[in-house]
Amino acid sequence: MSRERGHVGRGYVGWALPEAERARLLALFPPRYARTVAHHVTLAYGVGARHPLPMERQGTIVGLADDGEGVQALVVAIAGTTDRPGGGTCHVTWSLGPGRRAVESNAVIGRLGWAPVGPVSVRLEPRFFPD
């Protein structure tokens, strides 16, 4: 079950990390690289602004991926799965090194897999993010 949003334009839907959750998780999982991201979990990218938002408001940090070259991500299970409906793995890009981009996280997870951590429960806020 989902609800509609009245935003205009294209972007992506998923979940934002509330500031208190972000701070708590940063203490538990120190960023390895210079640029801390730790912002959101993407569910669907390239969707219209009226795309339904997810209903889930809770996730579980279950893994950590790090390519050792500048991409660190936390793997998140939502509604019992880490799989994204359109392919890929639910995750939060955690930190990035110079020249690296958040969009690389899913490829790193797909190529190298992830190491189990936690589990650590996390509150999530459904949201549309405009491009």
Side-chain angles (χ1 to χ4, degrees):
M1 183 73 75
S2 54
R3 23 184 198 138
E4 296 267 354
R5 295 293 293 199
H7 298 281
V8 176
R10 296 193 68 76
Y12 55 100
V13 295
W15 299 268
L17 279 179
E19 194 56 40
E21 292 292 86
R22 183 179 191 269
R24 181 176 66 88
L25 292 173
L26 285 168
L28 291 172
F29 303 101
R32 179 168 181 198
Y33 303 106
R35 181 174 158 226
T36 301
V37 181
H39 180 259
H40 71 275
V41 178
T42 300
L43 178 63
Y45 186 79
V47 299
R50 296 188 186 279
H51 191 281
L53 293 180
M55 292 300 292
E56 296 84 358
R57 294 182 174 274
Q58 193 75 23
T60 306
I61 306 300
V62 296
L64 176 68
D66 187 340
D67 69 356
E69 299 175 0
V71 174
Q72 180 188 33
L74 297 181
V75 175
V76 183
I78 299 172
T81 185
T82 60
D83 295 335
R84 283 200 315 213
T89 302
C90 291
H91 66 276
V92 178
T93 298
W94 207 241
S95 69
L96 297 169
R100 302 303 296 271
R101 298 177 38 214
V103 70
E104 296 178 69
S105 293
N106 213 40
V108 166
I109 294 167
R111 188 175 77 246
L112 302 175
W114 46 275
V117 299
V120 177
S121 183
V122 61
R123 188 172 57 84
L124 300 167
E125 295 176 347
R127 188 169 297 166
F128 172 81
F129 302 91
D131 270 345

